[in-house]
Amino acid sequence: MLASQRRTTILGLVEESGAVRVSELVEQLGVSDMTVRRDIEQLAGEGLVERVHGGALAVGSRSSEEPGFTVKSGLMHAQKVAIAETAAQLVEPGAAIGISAGTTTFEFARVVCSVPDLTVVTNSVPVAQLLHESGAPGQTVVLTGGVRTPSDALVGPVAVTALRMLHVDRLFLGVHGMDARAGLTTPNLVEAETNRAMVETSRQVCVLADHTKWGTVGLSTIIPLSSVDLVVSDEGLGSRARTALSEAGAEVTIAHPSRTRLDRSRRGNP
């Protein structure tokens, strides 16, 4: 691949996901760390990306910026659907589950809306509306209340107080970013607090996140990776990310858009 082609590929990845890591580009492009860093440096010099430690950001992107629900819905849509369909296999009739706000969790709600006698606790306005309009017989939806964010999450003291009185079997959590050091993150400080309250209600934490979330770091940490039980992601999740998650104690399940069978990557697998 020519240098110009490499840089075009890098720019496309940055524009698609908002951020890329050098380690991921090395693996994807099959070139050296130094080559990738030179390409990022040139793109940054042309004002096309913003160079940061370990990677590059889309121009104007910041850890405190929070994209809206509609903007995020169109990104990595096939992967989100596959992740949702795979995660939904964990949900049985009569279960009590939590669903956080997010576009991947919204796709998950589309799938589980057909599960009967389900109790869903959520702080997501779109998820609650979807289940209210299309839910199977016997479903109960508990919407937390709170202040609405750009990602259509209800957050703040009202939401936290409501969540502290509830208990669910499993939480399906959407995140802005995942990182080995920072853990699960979000750009919104209050949303981080509310998500932590959701984590505390659940017996098991299942993170639904496509591969572009790895290496993205928002302003506030929700929980460390060591507090995650399961991550459902897509085939683009790199081997280093899978290893880091496994070493932190999380099981990793890879969703395949072209088929429904599970491909589980457990501790120590590449």
Side-chain angles (χ1 to χ4, degrees), residues 150-189:
S151 60
D152 277 346
L154 296 178
V155 301
V158 173
V160 171
T161 299
L163 288 165
R164 285 176 177 163
M165 297 185 291
L166 302 171
H167 306 280
V168 299
D169 301 314
R170 182 181 280 118
L171 169 65
F172 294 90
L173 180 65
V175 297
H176 174 78
M178 299 187 294
D179 183 78
R181 295 180 62 184
L184 309 182
T185 64
T186 174
N188 190 306
L189 288 168

PDB file of all heavy atoms in Angstrom, residues 150-189:
ATOM      1  N   PRO A 150     -27.702  14.820  25.786  1.00  0.00           N
ATOM      2  CA  PRO A 150     -27.721  14.741  24.317  1.00  0.00           C
ATOM      3  C   PRO A 150     -27.838  13.313  23.789  1.00  0.00           C
ATOM      4  O   PRO A 150     -28.310  13.103  22.675  1.00  0.00           O
ATOM      5  CB  PRO A 150     -26.370  15.350  23.925  1.00  0.00           C
ATOM      6  CG  PRO A 150     -26.056  16.298  25.032  1.00  0.00           C
ATOM      7  CD  PRO A 150     -26.562  15.626  26.267  1.00  0.00           C
ATOM      8  N   SER A 151     -27.408  12.315  24.578  1.00  0.00           N
ATOM      9  CA  SER A 151     -27.522  10.926  24.136  1.00  0.00           C
ATOM     10  C   SER A 151     -28.839  10.298  24.575  1.00  0.00           C
ATOM     11  O   SER A 151     -29.001   9.079  24.544  1.00  0.00           O
ATOM     12  CB  SER A 151     -26.348  10.099  24.687  1.00  0.00           C
ATOM     13  OG  SER A 151     -26.335  10.123  26.101  1.00  0.00           O
ATOM     14  N   ASP A 152     -29.800  11.138  24.972  1.00  0.00           N
ATOM     15  CA  ASP A 152     -31.138  10.696  25.378  1.00  0.00           C
ATOM     16  C   ASP A 152     -31.121   9.798  26.608  1.00  0.00           C
ATOM     17  O   ASP A 152     -31.958   8.899  26.756  1.00  0.00           O
ATOM     18  CB  ASP A 152     -31.873   9.998  24.225  1.00  0.00           C
ATOM     19  CG  ASP A 152     -32.542  10.997  23.291  1.00  0.00           C
ATOM     20  OD1 ASP A 152     -32.660  12.179  23.688  1.00  0.00           O
ATOM     21  OD2 ASP A 152     -32.937  10.605  22.180  1.00  0.00           O
ATOM     22  N   ALA A 153     -30.150  10.037  27.503  1.00  0.00           N
ATOM     23  CA  ALA A 153     -30.111   9.345  28.783  1.00  0.00           C
ATOM     24  C   ALA A 153     -30.731  10.231  29.852  1.00  0.00           C
ATOM     25  O   ALA A 153     -30.603  11.455  29.806  1.00  0.00           O
ATOM     26  CB  ALA A 153     -28.668   9.020  29.159  1.00  0.00           C
ATOM     27  N   LEU A 154     -31.390   9.619  30.816  1.00  0.00           N
ATOM     28  CA  LEU A 154     -31.890  10.336  31.983  1.00  0.00           C
ATOM     29  C   LEU A 154     -30.881  10.135  33.112  1.00  0.00           C
ATOM     30  O   LEU A 154     -30.581   8.996  33.476  1.00  0.00           O
ATOM     31  CB  LEU A 154     -33.274   9.818  32.385  1.00  0.00           C
ATOM     32  CG  LEU A 154     -34.379  10.045  31.337  1.00  0.00           C
ATOM     33  CD1 LEU A 154     -35.692   9.441  31.814  1.00  0.00           C
ATOM     34  CD2 LEU A 154     -34.532  11.526  31.010  1.00  0.00           C
ATOM     35  N   VAL A 155     -30.362  11.231  33.634  1.00  0.00           N
ATOM     36  CA  VAL A 155     -29.269  11.149  34.595  1.00  0.00           C
ATOM     37  C   VAL A 155     -29.523  12.075  35.784  1.00  0.00           C
ATOM     38  O   VAL A 155     -30.473  12.849  35.793  1.00  0.00           O
ATOM     39  CB  VAL A 155     -27.927  11.534  33.929  1.00  0.00           C
ATOM     40  CG1 VAL A 155     -27.614  10.619  32.761  1.00  0.00           C
ATOM     41  CG2 VAL A 155     -27.949  12.998  33.462  1.00  0.00           C
ATOM     42  N   GLY A 156     -28.647  11.984  36.772  1.00  0.00           N
ATOM     43  CA  GLY A 156     -28.714  12.896  37.904  1.00  0.00           C
ATOM     44  C   GLY A 156     -29.286  12.260  39.152  1.00  0.00           C
ATOM     45  O   GLY A 156     -29.561  11.048  39.193  1.00  0.00           O
ATOM     46  N   PRO A 157     -29.495  13.055  40.209  1.00  0.00           N
ATOM     47  CA  PRO A 157     -29.926  12.540  41.509  1.00  0.00           C
ATOM     48  C   PRO A 157     -31.238  11.755  41.469  1.00  0.00           C
ATOM     49  O   PRO A 157     -31.392  10.768  42.187  1.00  0.00           O
ATOM     50  CB  PRO A 157     -30.077  13.810  42.356  1.00  0.00           C
ATOM     51  CG  PRO A 157     -29.189  14.820  41.704  1.00  0.00           C
ATOM     52  CD  PRO A 157     -29.226  14.510  40.250  1.00  0.00           C
ATOM     53  N   VAL A 158     -32.185  12.203  40.654  1.00  0.00           N
ATOM     54  CA  VAL A 158     -33.469  11.492  40.569  1.00  0.00           C
ATOM     55  C   VAL A 158     -33.255  10.077  40.041  1.00  0.00           C
ATOM     56  O   VAL A 158     -33.802   9.099  40.575  1.00  0.00           O
ATOM     57  CB  VAL A 158     -34.463  12.262  39.676  1.00  0.00           C
ATOM     58  CG1 VAL A 158     -35.727  11.437  39.448  1.00  0.00           C
ATOM     59  CG2 VAL A 158     -34.824  13.600  40.310  1.00  0.00           C
ATOM     60  N   ALA A 159     -32.467   9.962  38.968  1.00  0.00           N
ATOM     61  CA  ALA A 159     -32.178   8.651  38.387  1.00  0.00           C
ATOM     62  C   ALA A 159     -31.421   7.765  39.373  1.00  0.00           C
ATOM     63  O   ALA A 159     -31.745   6.585  39.546  1.00  0.00           O
ATOM     64  CB  ALA A 159     -31.374   8.813  37.099  1.00  0.00           C
ATOM     65  N   VAL A 160     -30.414   8.323  40.030  1.00  0.00           N
ATOM     66  CA  VAL A 160     -29.601   7.545  40.966  1.00  0.00           C
ATOM     67  C   VAL A 160     -30.439   7.052  42.138  1.00  0.00           C
ATOM     68  O   VAL A 160     -30.342   5.888  42.554  1.00  0.00           O
ATOM     69  CB  VAL A 160     -28.408   8.387  41.457  1.00  0.00           C
ATOM     70  CG1 VAL A 160     -27.685   7.675  42.610  1.00  0.00           C
ATOM     71  CG2 VAL A 160     -27.433   8.651  40.313  1.00  0.00           C
ATOM     72  N   THR A 161     -31.290   7.906  42.677  1.00  0.00           N
ATOM     73  CA  THR A 161     -32.152   7.522  43.802  1.00  0.00           C
ATOM     74  C   THR A 161     -33.090   6.380  43.410  1.00  0.00           C
ATOM     75  O   THR A 161     -33.275   5.420  44.167  1.00  0.00           O
ATOM     76  CB  THR A 161     -32.975   8.730  44.283  1.00  0.00           C
ATOM     77  OG1 THR A 161     -32.081   9.750  44.729  1.00  0.00           O
ATOM     78  CG2 THR A 161     -33.903   8.338  45.423  1.00  0.00           C
ATOM     79  N   ALA A 162     -33.663   6.469  42.224  1.00  0.00           N
ATOM     80  CA  ALA A 162     -34.556   5.406  41.753  1.00  0.00           C
ATOM     81  C   ALA A 162     -33.809   4.080  41.603  1.00  0.00           C
ATOM     82  O   ALA A 162     -34.298   3.016  42.003  1.00  0.00           O
ATOM     83  CB  ALA A 162     -35.187   5.814  40.425  1.00  0.00           C
ATOM     84  N   LEU A 163     -32.610   4.136  41.023  1.00  0.00           N
ATOM     85  CA  LEU A 163     -31.841   2.929  40.769  1.00  0.00           C
ATOM     86  C   LEU A 163     -31.401   2.232  42.052  1.00  0.00           C
ATOM     87  O   LEU A 163     -31.295   0.998  42.101  1.00  0.00           O
ATOM     88  CB  LEU A 163     -30.622   3.266  39.913  1.00  0.00           C
ATOM     89  CG  LEU A 163     -30.928   3.610  38.458  1.00  0.00           C
ATOM     90  CD1 LEU A 163     -29.744   4.283  37.795  1.00  0.00           C
ATOM     91  CD2 LEU A 163     -31.323   2.345  37.694  1.00  0.00           C
ATOM     92  N   ARG A 164     -31.143   3.000  43.095  1.00  0.00           N
ATOM     93  CA  ARG A 164     -30.666   2.405  44.351  1.00  0.00           C
ATOM     94  C   ARG A 164     -31.709   1.529  45.033  1.00  0.00           C
ATOM     95  O   ARG A 164     -31.376   0.763  45.942  1.00  0.00           O
ATOM     96  CB  ARG A 164     -30.195   3.517  45.291  1.00  0.00           C
ATOM     97  CG  ARG A 164     -28.845   4.087  44.882  1.00  0.00           C
ATOM     98  CD  ARG A 164     -28.420   5.240  45.752  1.00  0.00           C
ATOM     99  NE  ARG A 164     -27.086   5.697  45.370  1.00  0.00           N
ATOM    100  CZ  ARG A 164     -26.564   6.866  45.714  1.00  0.00           C
ATOM    101  NH1 ARG A 164     -27.270   7.705  46.480  1.00  0.00           N
ATOM    102  NH2 ARG A 164     -25.344   7.212  45.324  1.00  0.00           N
ATOM    103  N   MET A 165     -32.941   1.620  44.596  1.00  0.00           N
ATOM    104  CA  MET A 165     -34.002   0.803  45.180  1.00  0.00           C
ATOM    105  C   MET A 165     -34.312  -0.435  44.336  1.00  0.00           C
ATOM    106  O   MET A 165     -35.221  -1.207  44.671  1.00  0.00           O
ATOM    107  CB  MET A 165     -35.275   1.638  45.327  1.00  0.00           C
ATOM    108  CG  MET A 165     -35.143   2.821  46.274  1.00  0.00           C
ATOM    109  SD  MET A 165     -36.711   3.694  46.517  1.00  0.00           S
ATOM    110  CE  MET A 165     -36.928   4.420  44.876  1.00  0.00           C
ATOM    111  N   LEU A 166     -33.573  -0.634  43.238  1.00  0.00           N
ATOM    112  CA  LEU A 166     -33.901  -1.693  42.288  1.00  0.00           C
ATOM    113  C   LEU A 166     -32.788  -2.735  42.181  1.00  0.00           C
ATOM    114  O   LEU A 166     -31.635  -2.462  42.513  1.00  0.00           O
ATOM    115  CB  LEU A 166     -34.171  -1.074  40.910  1.00  0.00           C
ATOM    116  CG  LEU A 166     -35.290  -0.029  40.875  1.00  0.00           C
ATOM    117  CD1 LEU A 166     -35.316   0.659  39.509  1.00  0.00           C
ATOM    118  CD2 LEU A 166     -36.634  -0.668  41.173  1.00  0.00           C
ATOM    119  N   HIS A 167     -33.169  -3.926  41.664  1.00  0.00           N
ATOM    120  CA  HIS A 167     -32.205  -5.013  41.492  1.00  0.00           C
ATOM    121  C   HIS A 167     -32.543  -5.771  40.209  1.00  0.00           C
ATOM    122  O   HIS A 167     -33.709  -6.117  39.976  1.00  0.00           O
ATOM    123  CB  HIS A 167     -32.246  -5.971  42.682  1.00  0.00           C
ATOM    124  CG  HIS A 167     -32.054  -5.289  44.000  1.00  0.00           C
ATOM    125  ND1 HIS A 167     -30.816  -4.934  44.479  1.00  0.00           N
ATOM    126  CD2 HIS A 167     -32.960  -4.870  44.920  1.00  0.00           C
ATOM    127  CE1 HIS A 167     -30.956  -4.329  45.647  1.00  0.00           C
ATOM    128  NE2 HIS A 167     -32.247  -4.273  45.934  1.00  0.00           N
ATOM    129  N   VAL A 168     -31.544  -6.018  39.374  1.00  0.00           N
ATOM    130  CA  VAL A 168     -31.752  -6.754  38.124  1.00  0.00           C
ATOM    131  C   VAL A 168     -30.748  -7.893  38.014  1.00  0.00           C
ATOM    132  O   VAL A 168     -29.713  -7.901  38.688  1.00  0.00           O
ATOM    133  CB  VAL A 168     -31.636  -5.832  36.886  1.00  0.00           C
ATOM    134  CG1 VAL A 168     -32.692  -4.740  36.929  1.00  0.00           C
ATOM    135  CG2 VAL A 168     -30.242  -5.226  36.772  1.00  0.00           C
ATOM    136  N   ASP A 169     -31.081  -8.861  37.152  1.00  0.00           N
ATOM    137  CA  ASP A 169     -30.197 -10.014  36.962  1.00  0.00           C
ATOM    138  C   ASP A 169     -28.935  -9.637  36.186  1.00  0.00           C
ATOM    139  O   ASP A 169     -27.838 -10.072  36.506  1.00  0.00           O
ATOM    140  CB  ASP A 169     -30.938 -11.126  36.206  1.00  0.00           C
ATOM    141  CG  ASP A 169     -32.186 -11.577  36.934  1.00  0.00           C
ATOM    142  OD1 ASP A 169     -32.107 -11.787  38.161  1.00  0.00           O
ATOM    143  OD2 ASP A 169     -33.237 -11.707  36.279  1.00  0.00           O
ATOM    144  N   ARG A 170     -29.123  -8.823  35.154  1.00  0.00           N
ATOM    145  CA  ARG A 170     -27.988  -8.485  34.287  1.00  0.00           C
ATOM    146  C   ARG A 170     -28.188  -7.095  33.702  1.00  0.00           C
ATOM    147  O   ARG A 170     -29.291  -6.742  33.293  1.00  0.00           O
ATOM    148  CB  ARG A 170     -27.860  -9.519  33.163  1.00  0.00           C
ATOM    149  CG  ARG A 170     -26.692  -9.308  32.235  1.00  0.00           C
ATOM    150  CD  ARG A 170     -26.654 -10.375  31.138  1.00  0.00           C
ATOM    151  NE  ARG A 170     -26.062 -11.633  31.616  1.00  0.00           N
ATOM    152  CZ  ARG A 170     -26.698 -12.795  31.665  1.00  0.00           C
ATOM    153  NH1 ARG A 170     -27.956 -12.868  31.273  1.00  0.00           N
ATOM    154  NH2 ARG A 170     -26.089 -13.880  32.083  1.00  0.00           N
ATOM    155  N   LEU A 171     -27.116  -6.327  33.665  1.00  0.00           N
ATOM    156  CA  LEU A 171     -27.138  -4.999  33.045  1.00  0.00           C
ATOM    157  C   LEU A 171     -26.479  -5.059  31.684  1.00  0.00           C
ATOM    158  O   LEU A 171     -25.373  -5.582  31.545  1.00  0.00           O
ATOM    159  CB  LEU A 171     -26.396  -3.983  33.918  1.00  0.00           C
ATOM    160  CG  LEU A 171     -26.121  -2.608  33.280  1.00  0.00           C
ATOM    161  CD1 LEU A 171     -27.426  -1.874  32.998  1.00  0.00           C
ATOM    162  CD2 LEU A 171     -25.215  -1.786  34.181  1.00  0.00           C
ATOM    163  N   PHE A 172     -27.146  -4.511  30.681  1.00  0.00           N
ATOM    164  CA  PHE A 172     -26.570  -4.379  29.342  1.00  0.00           C
ATOM    165  C   PHE A 172     -26.190  -2.916  29.175  1.00  0.00           C
ATOM    166  O   PHE A 172     -27.048  -2.039  29.056  1.00  0.00           O
ATOM    167  CB  PHE A 172     -27.565  -4.856  28.276  1.00  0.00           C
ATOM    168  CG  PHE A 172     -27.829  -6.334  28.386  1.00  0.00           C
ATOM    169  CD1 PHE A 172     -28.862  -6.808  29.184  1.00  0.00           C
ATOM    170  CD2 PHE A 172     -27.020  -7.248  27.731  1.00  0.00           C
ATOM    171  CE1 PHE A 172     -29.087  -8.175  29.315  1.00  0.00           C
ATOM    172  CE2 PHE A 172     -27.242  -8.611  27.849  1.00  0.00           C
ATOM    173  CZ  PHE A 172     -28.278  -9.080  28.646  1.00  0.00           C
ATOM    174  N   LEU A 173     -24.898  -2.680  29.185  1.00  0.00           N
ATOM    175  CA  LEU A 173     -24.352  -1.331  29.311  1.00  0.00           C
ATOM    176  C   LEU A 173     -23.686  -0.867  28.021  1.00  0.00           C
ATOM    177  O   LEU A 173     -22.806  -1.547  27.492  1.00  0.00           O
ATOM    178  CB  LEU A 173     -23.329  -1.314  30.451  1.00  0.00           C
ATOM    179  CG  LEU A 173     -22.621   0.006  30.770  1.00  0.00           C
ATOM    180  CD1 LEU A 173     -23.621   1.043  31.270  1.00  0.00           C
ATOM    181  CD2 LEU A 173     -21.536  -0.228  31.819  1.00  0.00           C
ATOM    182  N   GLY A 174     -24.112   0.279  27.517  1.00  0.00           N
ATOM    183  CA  GLY A 174     -23.438   0.916  26.394  1.00  0.00           C
ATOM    184  C   GLY A 174     -22.429   1.921  26.917  1.00  0.00           C
ATOM    185  O   GLY A 174     -22.644   2.533  27.966  1.00  0.00           O
ATOM    186  N   VAL A 175     -21.328   2.107  26.198  1.00  0.00           N
ATOM    187  CA  VAL A 175     -20.273   3.011  26.667  1.00  0.00           C
ATOM    188  C   VAL A 175     -19.768   3.889  25.528  1.00  0.00           C
ATOM    189  O   VAL A 175     -19.885   3.536  24.356  1.00  0.00           O
ATOM    190  CB  VAL A 175     -19.079   2.242  27.276  1.00  0.00           C
ATOM    191  CG1 VAL A 175     -19.519   1.478  28.506  1.00  0.00           C
ATOM    192  CG2 VAL A 175     -18.431   1.302  26.253  1.00  0.00           C
ATOM    193  N   HIS A 176     -19.197   5.019  25.898  1.00  0.00           N
ATOM    194  CA  HIS A 176     -18.551   5.907  24.934  1.00  0.00           C
ATOM    195  C   HIS A 176     -17.175   5.367  24.557  1.00  0.00           C
ATOM    196  O   HIS A 176     -16.738   5.479  23.406  1.00  0.00           O
ATOM    197  CB  HIS A 176     -18.415   7.298  25.551  1.00  0.00           C
ATOM    198  CG  HIS A 176     -17.634   8.267  24.718  1.00  0.00           C
ATOM    199  ND1 HIS A 176     -18.166   8.902  23.607  1.00  0.00           N
ATOM    200  CD2 HIS A 176     -16.356   8.730  24.829  1.00  0.00           C
ATOM    201  CE1 HIS A 176     -17.258   9.699  23.076  1.00  0.00           C
ATOM    202  NE2 HIS A 176     -16.157   9.613  23.794  1.00  0.00           N
ATOM    203  N   GLY A 177     -16.479   4.779  25.534  1.00  0.00           N
ATOM    204  CA  GLY A 177     -15.141   4.277  25.272  1.00  0.00           C
ATOM    205  C   GLY A 177     -14.721   3.201  26.248  1.00  0.00           C
ATOM    206  O   GLY A 177     -15.252   3.089  27.352  1.00  0.00           O
ATOM    207  N   MET A 178     -13.750   2.389  25.824  1.00  0.00           N
ATOM    208  CA  MET A 178     -13.126   1.367  26.669  1.00  0.00           C
ATOM    209  C   MET A 178     -11.616   1.515  26.540  1.00  0.00           C
ATOM    210  O   MET A 178     -11.101   1.687  25.441  1.00  0.00           O
ATOM    211  CB  MET A 178     -13.505  -0.051  26.228  1.00  0.00           C
ATOM    212  CG  MET A 178     -14.969  -0.394  26.275  1.00  0.00           C
ATOM    213  SD  MET A 178     -15.238  -2.168  25.929  1.00  0.00           S
ATOM    214  CE  MET A 178     -14.710  -2.263  24.199  1.00  0.00           C
ATOM    215  N   ASP A 179     -10.918   1.394  27.651  1.00  0.00           N
ATOM    216  CA  ASP A 179      -9.467   1.548  27.643  1.00  0.00           C
ATOM    217  C   ASP A 179      -8.885   0.718  28.777  1.00  0.00           C
ATOM    218  O   ASP A 179      -9.488   0.608  29.852  1.00  0.00           O
ATOM    219  CB  ASP A 179      -9.102   3.026  27.825  1.00  0.00           C
ATOM    220  CG  ASP A 179      -7.609   3.277  27.761  1.00  0.00           C
ATOM    221  OD1 ASP A 179      -7.059   3.307  26.647  1.00  0.00           O
ATOM    222  OD2 ASP A 179      -6.994   3.422  28.836  1.00  0.00           O
ATOM    223  N   ALA A 180      -7.707   0.142  28.539  1.00  0.00           N
ATOM    224  CA  ALA A 180      -7.094  -0.722  29.541  1.00  0.00           C
ATOM    225  C   ALA A 180      -6.854   0.008  30.851  1.00  0.00           C
ATOM    226  O   ALA A 180      -7.027  -0.559  31.933  1.00  0.00           O
ATOM    227  CB  ALA A 180      -5.793  -1.299  28.998  1.00  0.00           C
ATOM    228  N   ARG A 181      -6.447   1.260  30.779  1.00  0.00           N
ATOM    229  CA  ARG A 181      -6.147   2.027  31.987  1.00  0.00           C
ATOM    230  C   ARG A 181      -7.362   2.801  32.505  1.00  0.00           C
ATOM    231  O   ARG A 181      -7.629   2.828  33.700  1.00  0.00           O
ATOM    232  CB  ARG A 181      -5.001   2.995  31.724  1.00  0.00           C
ATOM    233  CG  ARG A 181      -3.679   2.311  31.427  1.00  0.00           C
ATOM    234  CD  ARG A 181      -2.578   3.314  31.170  1.00  0.00           C
ATOM    235  NE  ARG A 181      -2.328   4.153  32.333  1.00  0.00           N
ATOM    236  CZ  ARG A 181      -1.470   5.171  32.358  1.00  0.00           C
ATOM    237  NH1 ARG A 181      -0.783   5.476  31.248  1.00  0.00           N
ATOM    238  NH2 ARG A 181      -1.284   5.873  33.444  1.00  0.00           N
ATOM    239  N   ALA A 182      -8.102   3.437  31.603  1.00  0.00           N
ATOM    240  CA  ALA A 182      -9.221   4.285  32.018  1.00  0.00           C
ATOM    241  C   ALA A 182     -10.493   3.501  32.301  1.00  0.00           C
ATOM    242  O   ALA A 182     -11.400   3.997  32.980  1.00  0.00           O
ATOM    243  CB  ALA A 182      -9.500   5.344  30.955  1.00  0.00           C
ATOM    244  N   GLY A 183     -10.598   2.279  31.783  1.00  0.00           N
ATOM    245  CA  GLY A 183     -11.800   1.482  31.963  1.00  0.00           C
ATOM    246  C   GLY A 183     -12.912   1.901  31.026  1.00  0.00           C
ATOM    247  O   GLY A 183     -12.661   2.325  29.896  1.00  0.00           O
ATOM    248  N   LEU A 184     -14.150   1.809  31.481  1.00  0.00           N
ATOM    249  CA  LEU A 184     -15.297   2.242  30.694  1.00  0.00           C
ATOM    250  C   LEU A 184     -15.524   3.716  30.966  1.00  0.00           C
ATOM    251  O   LEU A 184     -15.572   4.133  32.127  1.00  0.00           O
ATOM    252  CB  LEU A 184     -16.546   1.461  31.073  1.00  0.00           C
ATOM    253  CG  LEU A 184     -16.453  -0.061  31.086  1.00  0.00           C
ATOM    254  CD1 LEU A 184     -17.813  -0.662  31.429  1.00  0.00           C
ATOM    255  CD2 LEU A 184     -15.944  -0.600  29.758  1.00  0.00           C
ATOM    256  N   THR A 185     -15.675   4.510  29.906  1.00  0.00           N
ATOM    257  CA  THR A 185     -15.764   5.956  30.098  1.00  0.00           C
ATOM    258  C   THR A 185     -16.921   6.581  29.323  1.00  0.00           C
ATOM    259  O   THR A 185     -17.466   5.991  28.387  1.00  0.00           O
ATOM    260  CB  THR A 185     -14.461   6.657  29.662  1.00  0.00           C
ATOM    261  OG1 THR A 185     -14.264   6.465  28.247  1.00  0.00           O
ATOM    262  CG2 THR A 185     -13.255   6.127  30.427  1.00  0.00           C
ATOM    263  N   THR A 186     -17.251   7.807  29.722  1.00  0.00           N
ATOM    264  CA  THR A 186     -18.269   8.622  29.074  1.00  0.00           C
ATOM    265  C   THR A 186     -17.847  10.088  29.151  1.00  0.00           C
ATOM    266  O   THR A 186     -17.124  10.458  30.091  1.00  0.00           O
ATOM    267  CB  THR A 186     -19.645   8.440  29.755  1.00  0.00           C
ATOM    268  OG1 THR A 186     -20.586   9.361  29.186  1.00  0.00           O
ATOM    269  CG2 THR A 186     -19.561   8.687  31.246  1.00  0.00           C
ATOM    270  N   PRO A 187     -18.262  10.923  28.200  1.00  0.00           N
ATOM    271  CA  PRO A 187     -17.917  12.353  28.277  1.00  0.00           C
ATOM    272  C   PRO A 187     -18.713  13.105  29.334  1.00  0.00           C
ATOM    273  O   PRO A 187     -18.371  14.226  29.684  1.00  0.00           O
ATOM    274  CB  PRO A 187     -18.276  12.880  26.877  1.00  0.00           C
ATOM    275  CG  PRO A 187     -18.533  11.691  26.039  1.00  0.00           C
ATOM    276  CD  PRO A 187     -18.952  10.601  26.948  1.00  0.00           C
ATOM    277  N   ASN A 188     -19.787  12.496  29.844  1.00  0.00           N
ATOM    278  CA  ASN A 188     -20.720  13.189  30.725  1.00  0.00           C
ATOM    279  C   ASN A 188     -20.507  12.733  32.168  1.00  0.00           C
ATOM    280  O   ASN A 188     -20.755  11.580  32.519  1.00  0.00           O
ATOM    281  CB  ASN A 188     -22.158  12.905  30.273  1.00  0.00           C
ATOM    282  CG  ASN A 188     -23.183  13.766  30.987  1.00  0.00           C
ATOM    283  OD1 ASN A 188     -23.225  13.805  32.199  1.00  0.00           O
ATOM    284  ND2 ASN A 188     -24.011  14.448  30.200  1.00  0.00           N
ATOM    285  N   LEU A 189     -20.085  13.658  33.036  1.00  0.00           N
ATOM    286  CA  LEU A 189     -19.802  13.327  34.436  1.00  0.00           C
ATOM    287  C   LEU A 189     -21.025  12.769  35.157  1.00  0.00           C
ATOM    288  O   LEU A 189     -20.926  11.798  35.912  1.00  0.00           O
ATOM    289  CB  LEU A 189     -19.299  14.570  35.173  1.00  0.00           C
ATOM    290  CG  LEU A 189     -17.884  15.058  34.835  1.00  0.00           C
ATOM    291  CD1 LEU A 189     -17.666  16.446  35.419  1.00  0.00           C
ATOM    292  CD2 LEU A 189     -16.842  14.091  35.372  1.00  0.00           C
TER     293      LEU A 189
END
